[in-house]
Amino acid sequence: MHKETEDDYAYLSNLLQDFTIIPNIDKAWLFSSPGSQLQGMFVVSQPDLLTNKRRTSIMSCNILKQSDSSVKFLWAPFPIEMSGVSMIVPSPSGSKLLVIRNPENEAPCCFEIWSSSRMEKEFHIPQSLHGSVYNDGWFEGVSWNLDETCIAYVAEESSPAKPTFNDLGGYKKGGCADKDLGYWKGQGDWEEDWGETYAGRRRPALFVININSRDVQEVKGIDKSLSIGQVVWAPFTEGSEQYLVFVGWSSKPRKLGIKYCSNRPCALYTVRVRALHHESKPNEPVVQSTEEFHALNLTQTISSAFFPRFSPDGKFLVFLSARSAVDSGVHNATNSLHRIDWPTDGKLFQSSKIYDIIPVVMCAEDGCFPGLYCTTIHNNPWLSDNCTMIISSIWHSSEVLLSVNVLSGEILHISPADSNFSWNLLTLDRNNIVAISSSPVDVPQIKYGMAIEKATSNTTWSWSNISSPIFRCSDKVVSLLSSLQCSILSISVKDVHDGQTKGATKHFEAIFVTSKTKNKDVFDPLIVILHGGPHDVSLSHFSKYLAFQSSVGYSLLIVNYRGSLGFGEEALQSLPGKVGSQDVNDVLSAIDHVINLGLASPSKITVMGISHGGFLTTHLIGQAPDKFVAAAAINPVCNLALMIGTTDIPDWCYVEACGTIAKNCFTEPPSADDLTLFQSKSPISHVSKVKAPTLFLLGAQDIRVPIFDGLQYARALKEKGVEVKIIMFQNDVHALKRPQSDLECFLHIGVWFNKYCK
Ligand SMILES: CC(=O)N[C@@H](C)C(=O)N[C@@H](C)C(=O)O
């Protein structure tokens, strides 16, 4: 390595450390009991580079309500590390804490029940009953029942029996226990999984544990072709019968990749579990599911229903839907929100009426609510009126907080509207909100929101800063960030023509980060940053690696081209069928926009992106070869004709390249015409024009965009004499997010861009 390059690696990695160490708040809960102070518990995580995992800890605090109704958080002196813990879930009263430890190998899964002073109970659930509890944020669901005796949860079903052989290879009828010596296990049948990040994971199934009787059961009455997730207990009804509500995804006709794909059909189901008395322990109820009550589909009239949430009074079941994504075939689209009125007598029927609370917004008037785009719904999002939910949703390039009245459908934007910050809900304290707010140049800040009732008009919210040690940064980071500024640019569409929907002609946005320095005779080099998906968005929140890039002397142009989430359904649906042209032209328009405004120089532009962002990166260097001095592509889609045969989302290739999808065309081999079209829409068709030195960062275990896409393109560039560097992350999947890989990626990109820009 050249000395200069080595010096650059050393210099940049030194600075990168200061950014890497900044933690995230993953979850938070508030606990109040009569007569005692309100207390908070925050799950904080940060990368642990040596083990290449995230280190998770708990930060606790007392919350003082002061006479002027402001609050002060008094933090414990140190966080406590939670080593080996997969999940923690407080009980509804806050008097118990469930701690789940998933096994690393064939060991049992461990459940611990803690009280305020000690561990009360411990359960070891053998692999013969189930494997790891899902804690992926999607299938994940752990729910305490109201009297805190039972917990419903989603875990991997037990492994099917495998053929057993003796030392000479003789087949043993009936198999044998795992630990029997003198035998070995064969492979067994291959099982289809849910693709990227779920490779080898078994079907998510539903279980209930009774913490008094110690019974653990798989819930009966559920079709084995359903994968289960997001379970909650339905409101308590008198008598021995209780209901669970959960999401079911069918594996028919086949499972396709589900990560980043809300377009997989799913429905809400309910199943009855019955409290029985165990013969040997007559005083302790046992919850048993019953075969004769088959799970009921509650949402047959809508193609997608997930994140079920009961109002605290048990009157409504509210859920989110990605029907637009399912019905159109795009992997993500505008959400809708719905309500079922839950029968107070507990008598359920198959076709409950589904009310629309927030319909899909096709094209909003300027400044109006653009539609709902939620990545999650908080487990307890309710204000005390039992009908208002607080939701985080994407609104153009920012995430905002909304209050939604589930009866009237009224939506209020309650985080401050006049800023470029993004806001995310952490937890609620009755009618007060704890949230996180940040921008690309401001580290996260905890906010406390209080509703101010007004006699004459809508409620408004006042927000105060909560001081906390969690996001304290080094002086170096503070000083670097204070020299930067960020704005959100509105960019007009160049290719307006007849036949377009109104939404397709509306402005899109780009986030622009640059130094505050007034002397703009010498421009900082520009990095154009492109998100994947393509139906995803780059948010105006703090991202430590982007902050690092802007801190080392680059301006950033982060483009939310048409097709991104947050701008209404018409704008989003304008892209499928036009990938590689409409999105490429939007990015070129955004670049022209900043050049014309005198914010960037045309001579020092680099570009980078992941996945579909890598598709755009490689398209741009092919279609506009003189525009870019260097590029970096992370697991890029470079040849759809190659990807279609091996990806877990072949349907995506059809929808994005052709605009529609024919039935089952993703299981049958593509036709010669399809392959020709795929290739013509791919960056590989422009590879001969590329001049920009390009860095490829590839995850060898990626099953979303298998590495052969990137490798074929990189080899073609090499053969042509274009400078290429490939870094292969042997144990990484599509998102290179393990701590070492994340750091290495941005370090290599930093050094690569410095080589061609400085
Ligand atoms: C739906 C999907 O995964 N598309 C990929 C081609 C892609 O772009 N992925 C996104 C989500 C990413 O950022 O990796």
Side-chain angles (χ1 to χ4, degrees), residues 120-133:
E120 302 279 349
K121 288 179 181 169
E122 189 176 9
F123 306 89
H124 289 255
I125 302 160
Q127 294 267 339
S128 55
L129 208 52
H130 66 65
S132 292
V133 173

Side-chain angles (χ1 to χ4, degrees), residues 196 257 259-264 330-332 530-536 561 609-615 634-637 640 643 647-649 652 656 702 704-705 734-736:
E196 175 63 18
K259 183 81 185 169
Y260 319 118
C261 295
S262 67
N263 59 333
R264 305 300 170 219
V330 299
H331 69 96
N332 264 333
L530 303 169
H531 67 73
H535 310 297
D536 199 342
Y561 46 89
I610 170 165
S611 196
H612 186 87
F615 172 88
I634 305 167
N635 288 322
V637 175
L640 289 158
M643 176 178 166
T647 176
D648 63 333
I649 53 165
W652 178 89
E656 296 305 339
D702 185 354
R704 179 57 46 96
V705 185
H734 187 53
L736 303 178

Side-chain angles (χ1 to χ4, degrees), residues 43 72 84 115 222 378 424 430 433 475 497 572 605 636 711 758:
V43 176
K72 194 165 182 188
S115 68
I222 301 175
H378 195 271
N424 192 260
R430 290 174 211 278
I433 296 173
D475 291 347
H497 55 80
L572 188 145
I605 303 178
L711 284 179
K758 297 256 163 123

Side-chain angles (χ1 to χ4, degrees), residues 515-634:
S515 84
K516 286 179 182 160
T517 317
K518 288 281 173 299
N519 175 8
K520 285 293 179 194
D521 295 341
V522 186
F523 290 105
D524 287 337
L526 183 71
I527 309 180
V528 178
I529 297 175
L530 303 169
H531 67 73
H535 310 297
D536 199 342
V537 64
S538 290
L539 289 173
S540 65
H541 62 187
F542 186 73
S543 147
K544 45 194 172 187
Y545 291 116
L546 297 191
F548 158 76
Q549 286 179 316
S550 41
S551 297
V552 293
Y554 289 87
S555 296
L556 310 182
L557 180 68
I558 309 165
V559 187
N560 285 322
Y561 46 89
R562 277 173 296 163
S564 301
L565 300 179
F567 294 83
E569 187 64 5
E570 284 182 358
L572 188 145
Q573 293 288 355
S574 70
L575 183 57
K578 303 194 198 82
V579 293
S581 49
Q582 178 178 298
D583 43 7
V584 167
N585 289 332
D586 282 355
V587 178
L588 291 172
S589 302
I591 296 172
D592 288 346
H593 187 86
V594 285
I595 293 172
N596 294 341
L597 287 176
L599 299 172
S601 150
S603 63
K604 278 191 192 165
I605 303 178
T606 64
V607 58
M608 62 171 280
I610 170 165
S611 196
H612 186 87
F615 172 88
L616 292 176
T617 299
T618 44
H619 254 305
L620 284 157
I621 56 177
Q623 294 190 39
D626 296 316
K627 221 170 190 105
F628 301 96
V629 293
I634 305 167

Side-chain angles (χ1 to χ4, degrees), residues 34-35 66 119 143 219 239 335 409 446 515 544 571 709:
Q66 291 169 323
M119 190 176 77
S143 179
V219 175
N335 294 136
I446 300 177
S515 84
K544 45 194 172 187
D709 254 53

Side-chain angles (χ1 to χ4, degrees), residues 20-96:
T20 303
I21 206 168
I22 301 172
N24 289 351
I25 297 183
D26 299 341
K27 277 188 177 156
W29 295 271
L30 298 180
F31 299 91
S32 58
S33 45
S36 69
Q37 219 166 42
L38 186 64
Q39 290 178 311
M41 195 166 87
F42 291 70
V43 176
V44 175
S45 67
Q46 66 186 117
D48 176 358
L49 286 162
L50 277 185
T51 62
N52 206 10
K53 293 186 176 144
R54 285 192 79 78
R55 190 193 291 276
T56 306
S57 56
I58 295 275
M59 277 290 274
S60 302
C61 62
N62 285 327
I63 300 172
L64 285 186
K65 301 223 169 179
Q66 291 169 323
S67 49
D68 59 354
S69 75
S70 66
V71 289
K72 194 165 182 188
F73 286 32
L74 303 175
W75 296 94
F78 299 104
I80 305 288
E81 188 176 358
M82 294 203 297
S83 111
V85 174
S86 311
M87 276 175 102
I88 57 171
V89 188
S91 67
S93 69
S95 65
K96 296 187 180 100

